[in-house]
């Protein structure tokens, strides 16, 4: 019940009554309890028919085509009436042309078909315009520049959106080209609120062996600087490293290398030269420092995965467990396990966290929001039809952490401008992310 109701009172139950009925229908069958999990109930309730969507799209397109034919026939009848009136009453058209033109223009604008009605309406406007002498220039300009509310564009975007939504429902990742608005661009540009922002980021490239051991462990880190105001650009950055002997630091060519090696201070070779400023350029800022660490010690790995597939009869039981190091608290952990081609979702019997089955790519995603001291280890077990053990590899992992291996910290900002001005305010962001983390 809490999965579907926002509050466990009468009002919350009544608002989601239909959803609860459908969910309980999946749990109870003829008075007996079904062997299903909450995730399976959600999946069953959210199932949609792809054939039904296609049928509705085809039916809607036929309706739109019928409307277009009707509008085209009506336009032809009205045009024949105009031609008849032209031969009978020549003076009538000069007096009533404005009314007829406006009526046909409204008809073309209100067209909601796929384009036939709107184009015929525009053609009629041009034809009626040939009989009128007062408003000829105005009507020609309107004919060459179609109105903004054309039904053809609306119908096309609606069908495209429906098709994209159906792909998204099947698990396909859709990247839409959206033009940013001016207001959104201003908000994005104003994201850094502090005058000075330093970002320390490390990227992990790890390859673990399925039988234990490590074949590749590489950490690449960068420290970047972003300054908003020109008056804060004459500075030096005093840092403090974690004392890890396996990390090799490399400064930017414009930085004073001796000053950093002796005093851990990052400053330009020319002290009178300011740092680049402004947030309109590179969003990551100006790179000051890079470092790299490689190791063959398995204890340095923040997260290890152990996968045991075993075939029993007509089923394959797969047990996966993770074990996290105490060095980091991991966030948004997603473990992606490739599966053989399945007709239905795998039967997940036990899991610490949440799971999602991507049927299009045949991948089972095991997600844990946070791994800390309360859940340094966890497991998942699922059942699929018989398959070879190599099908379940390579297992991909992605996560982030608020701390880094280098433990690089910015201690102080030293202003170089005279006058005894106080040091400007600054903020530091630290992030550890995975670039390529696999178990092969």
């Amino acid at each position: 019940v809490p999965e579907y109701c926002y509050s466990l009172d009468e009002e919350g139950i009544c608002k989601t009554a239909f959803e609860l009925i459908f969910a309980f229908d999946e749990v109870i069958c003829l008075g007996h309890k079904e062997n299903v999990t909450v995730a399976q109930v959600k999946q069953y309730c959210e199932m949609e028919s792809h054939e039904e969507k296609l049928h509705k799209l085809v039916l809607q397109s036929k309706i739109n085509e019928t409307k277009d034919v009707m509008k085209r026939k009506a336009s032809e009848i009205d045009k024949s009436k105009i031609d008849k009136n032209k031969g009978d009453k020549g003076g009538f058209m000069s007096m009533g042309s404005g009314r007829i033109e406006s009526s046909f223009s409204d008809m073309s604008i209100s067209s909601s078909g796929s384009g036939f009605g709107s184009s015929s309406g525009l053609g009629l406007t041009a034809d009626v315009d040939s009989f009128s002498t007062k408003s000829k220039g105005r009507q020609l300009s309107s004919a060459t520049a179609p109105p903004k509310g054309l039904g053809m564009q609306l119908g096309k975007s609606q069908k495209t959106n429906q098709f994209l939504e159906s792909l998204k429902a099947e698990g396909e990742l859709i990247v839409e080209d959206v033009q940013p608005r001016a207001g959104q661009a201003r908000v994005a540009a104003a994201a850094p609120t502090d005058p000075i922002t330093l970002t320390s980021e490390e990227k992990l490239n790890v390859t673990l062996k399925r039988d234990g051991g490590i074949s590749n462990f590489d950490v690449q880190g960068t420290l970047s600087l972003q300054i908003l105001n020109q008056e804060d650009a004459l500075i030096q950055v005093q840092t403090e490293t974690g004392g890890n002997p396996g990390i090799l630091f490399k400064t930017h060519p414009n930085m004073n290398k001796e000053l950093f090696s002796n005093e851990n201070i990052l400053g330009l070779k020319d002290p009178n030269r300011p740092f680049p400023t402004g947030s309109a350029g590179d969003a990551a800022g100006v790179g000051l420092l890079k470092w790299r660490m490689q190791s063959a010690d398995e204890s340095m790995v923040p997260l290890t995965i152990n996968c045991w597939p075993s075939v029993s009869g007509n089923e394959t039981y797969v047990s996966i467990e993770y074990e996290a190091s105490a060095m980091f608290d991991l966030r948004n952990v997603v473990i992606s396990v490739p599966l053989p081609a399945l007709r239905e979702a795998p039967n997940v019997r036990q899991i610490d966290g949440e799971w999602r089955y991507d049927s299009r790519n045949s991948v089972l995603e095991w997600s844990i929001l946070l791994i800390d001291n309360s859940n340094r280890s966890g497991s998942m077990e699922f059942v699929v039809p018989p398959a070879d053990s190599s099908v379940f590899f390579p297992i991909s992992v992605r996560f982030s952490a608020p701390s880094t291996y280098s433990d690089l910290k910015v201690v102080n900002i030293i202003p170089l401008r005279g006058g005894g001005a106080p040091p400007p305010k600054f903020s530091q962001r630290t992030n550890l992310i995975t670039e390529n983390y696999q178990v092969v």
Side-chain angles (χ1 to χ4, degrees):
V1 174
E3 294 290 335
Y4 289 90
C5 301
Y6 64 92
S7 62
L8 299 180
D9 53 8
E10 183 178 359
E11 182 182 0
I13 298 295
C14 291
K15 284 189 175 181
T16 57
F18 286 103
E19 289 80 359
L20 283 176
I21 290 174
F22 295 140
F24 276 111
D25 183 56
E26 300 293 340
V27 177
I28 302 172
C29 181
L30 300 178
H32 299 284
K33 178 182 176 183
E34 292 286 333
N35 187 16
V36 294
T37 62
V38 176
Q40 288 175 329
V41 170
K42 281 187 174 181
Q43 186 179 11
Y44 296 156
C45 291
E46 293 174 359
M47 277 188 175
E48 296 180 358
S49 174
H50 185 64
E51 290 78 8
E52 181 184 358
K53 287 184 177 180
L54 289 178
H55 175 71
K56 289 182 178 180
L57 289 176
V58 172
L59 184 61
Q60 185 64 35
S61 64
K62 290 182 179 179
I63 293 174
N64 292 336
E65 289 177 1
T66 306
K67 289 181 179 180
D68 295 337
V69 173
M70 292 171 59
K71 289 177 182 177
R72 188 167 64 248
K73 293 294 184 182
S75 300
E76 292 175 357
I77 294 172
D78 291 338
K79 183 178 180 181
S80 63
K81 290 181 180 179
I82 293 172
D83 294 337
K84 185 178 179 180
N85 291 333
K86 174 189 174 185
D88 296 341
K89 300 178 181 180
F92 169 75
M93 293 305 298
S94 62
M95 292 186 294
S97 59
R99 178 177 59 82
I100 295 175
E101 288 168 1
S102 61
S103 65
F104 278 104
S105 299
D106 294 338
M107 185 186 70
S108 65
I109 293 175
S110 62
S111 171
S112 60
S114 61
F116 293 100
S118 60
S119 62
S120 61
L122 291 173
L124 279 171
T125 305
D127 291 338
V128 176
D129 211 351
S130 63
F131 304 119
S132 175
T133 56
K134 292 184 179 180
S135 56
K136 186 173 182 180
R138 177 178 59 83
Q139 289 297 331
L140 280 177
S141 63
S142 64
T144 54
K148 295 182 180 179
L150 279 180
M152 178 180 64
Q153 297 177 353
L154 292 175
K156 182 179 179 182
S157 62
Q158 185 179 4
K159 291 181 181 179
T160 305
N161 291 336
Q162 290 177 354
F163 180 69
L164 292 179
E165 290 297 330
S166 64
L167 290 179
K168 290 179 181 178
E170 295 180 4
E172 185 70 15
L173 182 61
I174 304 298
V175 180
E176 299 181 3
D177 295 332
V178 180
Q179 296 294 334
R181 299 180 181 176
Q184 295 176 349
R186 285 194 296 267
V187 172
T193 56
D194 293 303
I196 298 175
T197 303
L198 294 111
T199 304
S200 176
E201 184 179 76
E202 288 184 349
K203 295 182 180 180
L204 268 175
N205 289 277
V206 178
T207 304
L208 302 174
K209 299 178 181 178
R210 68 181 72 175
D211 298 327
I214 181 173
S215 59
N216 180 39
F217 180 83
D218 181 63
V219 180
Q220 295 182 359
T222 57
L223 177 66
S224 57
L225 170 68
Q226 190 172 11
I227 304 175
L228 296 182
N229 304 320
Q230 184 67 33
E231 56 269 16
D232 299 328
L234 281 173
I235 58 171
Q236 288 181 343
V237 181
Q238 185 176 1
T239 62
E240 182 181 281
T241 59
N244 193 335
I247 296 180
L248 301 176
F249 291 96
K250 183 181 295 185
T251 59
H252 192 276
N254 293 333
M255 307 299 293
N256 192 335
K257 190 178 297 184
E258 295 180 358
L259 184 64
F260 175 74
S261 59
N262 296 332
E263 305 180 27
N264 282 341
I265 294 178
L266 292 168
L268 294 173
K269 292 180 180 179
D270 185 4
N272 297 321
R273 179 183 175 184
F275 281 102
T277 60
S279 59
D282 188 5
V286 181
L288 303 182
L289 190 66
K290 289 185 179 182
W291 60 92
R292 186 175 182 180
M293 182 183 73
Q294 291 181 325
S295 175
D297 188 4
E298 194 173 358
S299 63
M300 300 295 291
V301 177
L303 187 69
T304 56
I305 306 295
N306 192 7
C307 180
W308 287 81
S310 59
V311 180
S312 177
N314 293 328
E315 294 179 329
T316 300
Y317 293 83
V318 182
S319 299
I320 302 178
E321 62 179 2
Y322 73 83
E323 187 171 355
S325 172
M327 292 186 296
F328 303 105
D329 290 344
L330 307 181
R331 300 175 180 175
N332 301 322
V333 182
V334 179
I335 302 171
S336 301
V337 184
L339 300 180
L342 302 177
R343 294 183 178 179
E344 299 179 354
N347 182 14
V348 180
R349 299 195 171 183
Q350 183 270 329
I351 187 170
D352 295 329
E354 300 291 335
W355 68 278
R356 186 182 76 90
Y357 175 57
D358 185 359
S359 59
R360 182 173 291 271
N361 299 315
S362 191
V363 173
L364 178 64
E365 293 185 350
W366 177 16
S367 60
I368 306 102
L369 289 178
L370 176 65
I371 296 181
D372 53 9
N373 291 329
S374 63
N375 58 344
R376 291 294 178 188
S377 61
S379 61
M380 174 180 68
E381 183 181 0
F382 62 91
V383 181
V384 295
D388 188 71
S389 61
S390 61
V391 174
F392 306 99
F393 295 93
I395 300 174
S396 301
V397 184
R398 64 178 186 270
F399 57 81
S400 63
S403 54
T404 58
Y405 281 94
S406 64
D407 199 17
L408 181 70
K409 296 180 181 178
V410 178
V411 180
N412 191 17
I413 297 294
I414 304 172
L416 300 180
R417 191 183 299 273
K425 294 182 180 180
F426 71 94
S427 62
Q428 182 179 5
R429 302 173 183 173
T430 306
N431 194 23
L432 173 68
I433 60 175
T434 55
E435 189 173 43
N436 187 12
Y437 202 107
Q438 288 186 335
V439 182
V440 297

